[in-house]
Amino acid sequence: MSYSLESFDKSIDITGIPKFRVFLDKPPDKSIEEVVKSYIKDKYKRDVVSKYIRTEINLKGHLPHYDYGSDKHMTWCKYSASYLKSCGFEGGEFCFLNDDDTILEVVDSDKHFNKILLFSVHHKHKVNPTIKGERRVELNFFSDNTI
């Protein structure tokens, strides 16, 4: 399995989960879940369980947020994975943000298409509106169990 754009932050939350983001190649014979499980187990010695999967076409984008949930919604979520299934659209960039919504990194479709963008839920992010065409993404949210 190959990894690229691996980025780490030395901070660790109270459950011991490191803050990271990475692109993973998805072999045609493997599911997103299999690739993510293998990466997390190899890198962090944790077992993960995919708890929620959805394919999304959202032209409006997403406002800045974290995926760790609140008000009893997705509080179990520890890792998020985004797999961009379409290309040739305008807008729809995935952006990592600081707590004050300053953009840290922009992930455009050329960088994201046919790659798994895996990140710990400590990363604030947003998706810009799609201006032209259709942005189709498979989203996977994972819970973890320490090995």
Side-chain angles (χ1 to χ4, degrees), residues 26-31 34:
K26 183 192 160 305
D29 62 331
K30 300 282 185 189
S31 70
E34 289 172 313

Side-chain angles (χ1 to χ4, degrees), residues 59-77:
L59 301 179
K60 294 179 182 179
H62 288 283
L63 295 174
H65 66 282
Y66 296 93
D67 286 342
Y68 50 64
S70 61
D71 297 325
K72 298 183 183 176
H73 173 73
M74 286 181 53
T75 55
W76 47 263
C77 189

Side-chain angles (χ1 to χ4, degrees), residues 9-25:
D9 181 321
K10 296 199 186 301
S11 62
I12 295 178
D13 80 355
I14 59 171
T15 63
I17 295 172
K19 187 173 180 180
F20 72 91
R21 59 185 184 263
V22 62
F23 275 103
L24 306 174
D25 290 322

Side-chain angles (χ1 to χ4, degrees), residues 75-121:
T75 55
W76 47 263
C77 189
K78 303 295 182 209
Y79 309 97
S80 297
S82 170
Y83 181 74
L84 186 62
K85 295 179 159 188
S86 62
C87 62
F89 56 88
E90 292 179 26
E93 299 88 2
F94 186 106
C95 303
F96 286 106
L97 310 169
N98 272 342
D99 288 334
D100 66 1
D101 293 344
T102 302
I103 295 175
L104 296 172
E105 179 180 5
V106 176
V107 179
D108 64 19
S109 62
D110 291 337
K111 196 185 296 187
H112 194 180
F113 180 61
N114 277 338
K115 299 269 189 210
I116 300 167
L117 174 55
L118 173 65
F119 56 98
S120 54
V121 297

Side-chain angles (χ1 to χ4, degrees), residues 8-55:
F8 294 91
D9 181 321
K10 296 199 186 301
S11 62
I12 295 178
D13 80 355
I14 59 171
T15 63
I17 295 172
K19 187 173 180 180
F20 72 91
R21 59 185 184 263
V22 62
F23 275 103
L24 306 174
D25 290 322
K26 183 192 160 305
D29 62 331
K30 300 282 185 189
S31 70
I32 294 166
E33 183 176 5
E34 289 172 313
V35 173
V36 169
K37 281 182 172 187
S38 176
Y39 175 82
I40 297 291
K41 189 164 191 164
D42 289 349
K43 192 82 173 174
Y44 300 108
K45 308 299 183 235
R46 292 177 176 266
D47 285 323
V48 294
V49 178
S50 179
K51 297 198 69 171
Y52 182 59
I53 300 171
R54 66 180 274 173
T55 297

